[in-house]
């Protein structure tokens, strides 16, 4: 049955590699909302890749640009938004999410996430590190923030993105 399109943005939060973009794209199609990938929006605004921004301008500049892009997207019309894993570390971005979006924390087993991120080399924060060790350290800092920000938490299985979409739709 057709689902009425939500009137608020749905923001997906969670660690890199949990499937925010894949789940977000499918969720958007299901709900009839546009899908926006936060990292891609930053890349188009900066006309540089995320890796190049980190390498040439540094993380602080990336975070400042990320916060500007998040504000523009969150203050705009409803979308499904896949946020970068670190976007919610910014308190202003968190406030904007609480004001304008329903936030969904996608959570997966860290071993599964580590395997996924190993297949691509687009994450500057993992470069040259053991992904499981790095992700575990990130989880320690970020899980409390994700938990505090999210209205809904959905556990994603090993490859079951369709189930995650169903779980989000059911929880909205
Ligand atoms: C980051 C996650 C990345 C990207 C950047 C930093 C993070 O986004 O924004 O590499 O701090 O977790 P994804 O979560 O989409 O990989």
């Amino acid at each position: 049955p057709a689902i009425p399109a939500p009137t608020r943005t749905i923001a997906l939060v969670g660690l890199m590699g949990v499937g925010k973009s894949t789940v977000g794209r499918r969720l958007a199609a299901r709900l009839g909302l546009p899908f926006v990938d936060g990292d891609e929006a930053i890349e188009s605004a900066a006309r540089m890749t995320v890796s190049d921004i980190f390498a040439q301008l540094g993380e602080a500049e990336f975070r400042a640009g990320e916060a500007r892009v998040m504000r523009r997207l969150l203050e705009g019309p409803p979308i499904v938004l896949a946020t970068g894993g670190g976007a919610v570390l910014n308190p202003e971005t968190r406030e904007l999410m609480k004001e304008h979006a329903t936030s969904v924390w996608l959570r997966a087993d860290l071993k599964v996430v580590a395997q996924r991120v190993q297949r691509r080399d687009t994450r500057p924060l993992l470069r040259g590190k053991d992904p499981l060790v790095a992700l575990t350290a990130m989880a320690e800092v970020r899980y409390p923030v994700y938990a505090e920000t999210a209205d809904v938490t959905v556990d994603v299985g090993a490859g079951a993105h369709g189930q995650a979409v169903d779980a989000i739709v059911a929880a909205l």
Side-chain angles (χ1 to χ4, degrees):
I3 310 156
T7 52
R8 273 164 84 78
T9 282
I10 298 167
L12 303 181
V13 306
L15 284 182
M16 47 178 76
V18 294
K20 287 168 291 182
S21 301
T22 308
V23 170
R25 212 165 262 123
R26 291 209 208 169
L27 178 67
R30 176 89 80 88
L31 298 174
L33 285 177
F35 171 73
V36 179
D37 181 287
D39 287 337
E40 283 175 15
I42 295 163
E43 292 183 338
S44 354
R47 296 207 191 88
M48 285 169 88
T49 64
V50 169
S51 299
D52 284 343
I53 299 172
F54 268 81
Q56 294 173 29
L57 308 175
E59 178 168 358
E61 275 299 312
F62 174 79
R63 295 298 175 200
E66 178 176 54
R68 287 193 296 273
V69 168
M70 285 297 119
R71 171 176 292 280
R72 170 167 61 74
L73 293 171
L74 287 165
E75 288 180 341
I79 53 175
V80 173
L81 173 62
T83 68
V88 300
L89 297 177
N90 181 304
E92 263 184 63
T93 300
R94 277 205 304 278
E95 277 314 303
L96 286 164
M97 285 177 51
K98 284 186 183 157
E99 194 180 335
H100 297 287
T102 301
S103 301
V104 180
W105 176 18
L106 287 188
R107 194 171 55 182
D109 188 281
L110 289 179
K111 290 201 196 78
V112 173
V113 180
Q115 275 174 356
R116 276 206 206 123
V117 296
Q118 245 158 355
R119 287 192 240 130
R120 285 171 66 206
D121 186 31
T122 54
R123 267 98 177 195
L125 293 180
L126 298 180
R127 198 150 292 153
K129 296 181 186 160
D130 178 274
L132 185 55
V133 173
L135 287 164
T136 303
M138 268 185 198
E140 213 163 288
V141 175
R142 293 180 179 184
Y143 275 18
V145 185
Y146 295 145
E148 200 247 8
T149 311
D151 302 294
V152 179
T153 300
V154 169
D155 282 297
V156 202
H161 287 135
Q163 280 171 22
V165 174
D166 290 342
I168 295 169
V169 171
L172 288 178

